[in-house]
Amino acid sequence: MKRLILVLATFGVVFTSLNTLITSYHVHRSAFIKDTLHSNQVYASKLAQVTELFLQSVNSQLHVSAYHISTRFNDLAEVQKELERLISQTNSFDSLVVVDTQGQIIAVKPDLDVLGKSISKSQLEAVKNHQPKVLDPFVSPAGNLMISPTYPIVSENGEYMGFVAGGIYLQGNTILNRLLGRHHYEDGSYLYVVDGQARLLYHIDTDRVGDVVSGNKVIAQVLQGETGASELINSAGVSMIAGFAPIPMTGWGVVSQRPMSSILDELGTTHRSVIYSSIPATIFILGLILIAGIQIAKPLTRLAKQLATFDHEHADTNGVRAWYYEAANLKRTLVRSNRSIQKVIKSLDNDRKTDKLTSLHNRFSLEFWLKNAIHSNLSMSVLAIDIDHFKCINDLHGHMTGDKVLKEIANVMRHNARSDDFICRAGGEEFLAFMPKLTLHEALDAAERLRKKVAAHTMPEGIKVTVSIGVSDWSSGNASIEQAIALADKALYRAKHTGRNKSCHIASV
């Protein structure tokens, strides 16, 4: 009997430890996948917003040129001069054309073999409503796959005269590719953009630009105007986690996705690398928006000389006034957008470092805190805290009650901690507390106070709960902080094995 009890006890401890490790793995796996889904959705949304801003800026440039052309539409030399001015003052377009009401091209820059030719019936049909429109991708006479934003030309008396269109190539070193191409393609992650017919407008594999993608549920959702995230199998048979967002102005969709395999391989360390790698991309996007705003201002200020209103307050070094007021407004809008992106990224960073259930710090936040603590040569004590018989609480009262108990114990620990103490949820019902500048005996006294507070506290549904606590200490120059944590865990298991609801300590070597 004695031997049987020993075997059963040993089996129970081993089984519980393995169960805890497996449960912790699955909890972290689920949480990390959820965070990645959310991150990809936010990233796709922000890129969709940036692309929308770029297309709005292009629309503004064409609007100004359309107004200028409408005043001298019958003077082809002046029309050609306006196109030359616009294409030389901005890097937004690869080509520019003016088309009359019959669909005939009457002016073009740079000089291409399309002057006097007619656009397709489908393109003429697309602009029949005489409204700004981005034409569907098509192959130019020069063999370039491109899109073409258009703006109607209307006389002062409201007569429709044709439209001005800008050509933006989809392949090669183009402005649109540079705008979308600043993405960190690590571990197989990438993004792509599709139009309303599920045709690829941007892809890391440039040979795929122009292909039509079928049977992809994410593309089907984003083309219906939905924003979200989902797991899927891509066309190469790879399991992916994708976030997606539409571009309302054009009906396009942006999809940012990452292989599931890279997430499973880097459950612990990938979160930190994702945060670090996203910062340069975000800074670059902010800088790109600012540059785009400057480029938008150049043609507007040049046209301002011929307008009636002048804005002395915002005049540039050349004394150009008036229409620069609109450019200044657009720049302020971009700055507000930049700040909004920074706030969202900061919020995401905080979410990554916080345990969703208890609002305590999580393992990822712990890595950063320990790094700073070690760098600052702080001496500290370590408390490993575990709820006694927590599995029984879940079995008898349900997991929702168990979650409430976890929240309540987290509140007790938070209210009894000092301002510079660091408390995190290590996983499941386990917690770690780090107490800077506290000796081992002082930390043991603090652990006892906490243990008694928990034991005296009435939990949800009147449940009484106790905790076991292991205590160790650490100072710079001695054993590593990981060894101190391991000693605290060892002391915790000693408390568990000697009756629970008690505090034990082991001093660091």
Side-chain angles (χ1 to χ4, degrees):
M1 179 65 73
K2 183 177 180 180
R3 183 176 300 175
L4 179 61
I5 292 174
L6 181 61
V7 170
L8 289 175
T10 303
F11 176 79
V13 170
V14 172
F15 179 79
T16 301
S17 299
L18 290 175
N19 182 65
T20 300
L21 290 173
I22 293 171
T23 301
S24 176
Y25 172 81
H26 286 292
V27 168
H28 281 90
R29 179 183 182 276
S30 177
F32 190 59
I33 291 175
K34 182 178 179 181
D35 286 346
T36 304
L37 284 167
H38 182 63
S39 298
N40 280 0
Q41 177 183 333
V42 170
Y43 190 66
S45 296
K46 293 309 166 187
L47 280 178
Q49 292 175 17
V50 169
T51 306
E52 179 97 347
L53 286 173
F54 167 73
L55 293 174
Q56 288 174 357
S57 73
V58 166
N59 187 66
S60 297
Q61 295 175 58
L62 292 176
H63 180 195
V64 173
S65 286
Y67 170 80
H68 185 51
I69 291 171
S70 68
T71 63
R72 55 194 70 189
F73 189 78
N74 295 324
D75 189 342
L76 293 181
E78 286 296 321
V79 172
Q80 196 77 2
K81 183 178 179 181
E82 168 60 18
L83 295 185
E84 183 176 356
R85 181 207 60 76
L86 178 57
I87 202 168
S88 66
Q89 291 299 313
T90 179
N91 64 351
S92 299
F93 305 106
D94 295 294
S95 62
L96 290 165
V97 298
V98 175
V99 182
D100 63 17
T101 57
Q102 303 303 314
Q104 185 178 20
I105 298 174
I106 63 172
V108 59
K109 274 295 174 180
D111 295 332
L112 300 171
D113 188 23
V114 297
L115 191 64
K117 295 183 179 180
S118 296
I119 64 175
S120 68
K121 291 182 179 180
S122 60
Q123 291 175 332
L124 192 60
E125 179 71 13
V127 298
K128 68 178 181 180
N129 293 328
H130 305 165
Q131 296 293 327
K133 173 77 175 179
V134 178
L135 298 179
D136 291 336
F138 62 94
V139 177
S140 70
N144 297 307
L145 183 64
M146 62 190 300
I147 59 170
S148 184
T150 69
Y151 203 93
I153 302 172
V154 182
S155 67
E156 292 182 355
N157 59 10
E159 179 186 358
Y160 176 69
M161 307 168 72
F163 64 88
V164 57
I168 301 175
Y169 295 156
L170 295 177
Q171 295 170 311
N173 186 25
T174 68
I175 181 65
L176 190 59
N177 281 354
R178 291 196 297 273
L179 183 69
L180 295 170
R182 303 300 179 176
H183 175 72
H184 289 267
Y185 301 102
E186 297 178 352
D187 302 323
S189 299
Y190 62 94
L191 66 92
Y192 58 88
V193 179
V194 294
D195 68 2
Q197 284 72 47
R199 183 187 292 108
L200 288 172
L201 301 183
Y202 172 81
H203 195 279
I204 185 175
D205 183 359
T206 56
D207 292 336
R208 295 197 61 190
V209 174
D211 291 350
V212 175
V213 182
S214 60
N216 188 307
K217 66 176 183 178
V218 165
I219 292 179
Q221 287 179 271
V222 77
L223 293 185
Q224 291 176 0
E226 297 180 21
T227 298
S230 178
E231 297 181 33
L232 77 154
I233 306 296
N234 71 2
S235 57
V238 179
S239 178
M240 307 292 285
I241 287 184
F244 51 91
I247 303 175
M249 182 177 177
T250 60
W252 299 349
V254 177
V255 180
S256 174
Q257 60 185 22
R258 183 181 182 189
M260 177 72 77
S261 59
S262 69
I263 297 171
L264 299 180
D265 290 341
E266 302 178 15
L267 279 178
T269 59
T270 302
H271 276 281
R272 183 170 59 189
S273 65
V274 168
I275 294 172
Y276 288 156
S277 64
S278 65
I279 292 175
T282 304
I283 293 175
F284 180 86
I285 292 172
L286 299 180
L288 197 60
I289 294 174
L290 182 59
I291 292 172
I294 295 173
Q295 294 302 320
I296 294 169
K298 290 181 180 180
L300 294 177
T301 54
R302 186 64 65 90
L303 286 174
K305 295 180 180 180
Q306 302 176 21
L307 299 175
T309 306
F310 293 85
D311 186 350
H312 297 277
E313 212 174 289
H314 294 283
D316 64 6
T317 55
N318 296 321
V320 181
R321 297 168 288 181
W323 275 101
Y324 194 82
Y325 174 78
E326 278 74 14
N329 277 343
L330 179 58
K331 181 179 179 180
R332 283 193 291 270
T333 301
L334 292 175
V335 170
R336 287 195 294 269
S337 176
N338 294 345
R339 291 173 179 170
S340 175
I341 293 173
Q342 290 175 338
K343 289 179 181 178
V344 170
I345 293 176
K346 184 177 180 181
S347 175
L348 288 174
D349 190 35
N350 290 333
D351 287 344
R352 293 179 187 277
K353 296 179 181 179
T354 304
D355 178 63
K356 298 294 189 298
L357 179 63
T358 63
S359 297
L360 295 175
H361 295 283
N362 60 18
R363 281 281 188 179
F364 306 109
S365 180
L366 174 60
E367 292 181 14
F368 292 102
W369 189 87
L370 287 179
K371 182 179 179 180
N372 292 332
I374 294 171
H375 181 73
S376 302
N377 293 322
L378 284 176
S379 62
M380 68 182 77
S381 291
V382 183
L383 274 63
I385 306 160
D386 188 90
I387 303 173
D388 296 328
H389 302 296
F390 185 72
K391 186 176 184 299
C392 294
I393 296 175
N394 281 335
D395 292 342
L396 294 175
H397 301 277
H399 288 278
M400 291 185 64
T401 300
D403 288 347
K404 292 178 182 178
V405 170
L406 287 172
K407 292 179 183 178
E408 195 65 26
I409 289 181
N411 288 333
V412 173
M413 288 191 290
R414 190 183 295 110
H415 293 154
N416 287 275
R418 302 175 303 166
S419 59
D420 56 349
D421 290 345
F422 183 92
I423 305 174
C424 77
R425 183 183 178 196
E429 68 272 23
E430 296 183 2
F431 303 86
L432 286 174
F434 298 84
M435 297 180 156
K437 302 179 182 178
L438 214 61
T439 66
L440 181 63
H441 292 293
E442 291 171 337
L444 189 60
D445 290 340
E448 277 296 292
R449 287 195 298 273
L450 174 61
R451 182 187 63 80
K452 293 175 181 178
K453 287 277 188 181
V454 173
H457 192 85
T458 301
M459 297 295 166
E461 300 187 15
I463 299 172
K464 286 294 185 178
V465 174
T466 62
V467 295
S468 297
I469 305 176
V471 184
S472 69
D473 63 337
W474 177 83
S475 60
S476 179
N478 293 337
S480 68
I481 187 64
E482 290 78 9
Q483 289 176 304
I485 295 172
L487 288 175
D489 280 335
K490 186 175 180 181
L492 170 62
Y493 282 114
R494 179 182 295 175
K496 287 281 189 182
H497 294 162
T498 56
R500 294 185 171 86
N501 190 22
K502 63 193 304 185
S503 302
C504 291
H505 71 278
I506 298 177
S508 297
V509 179

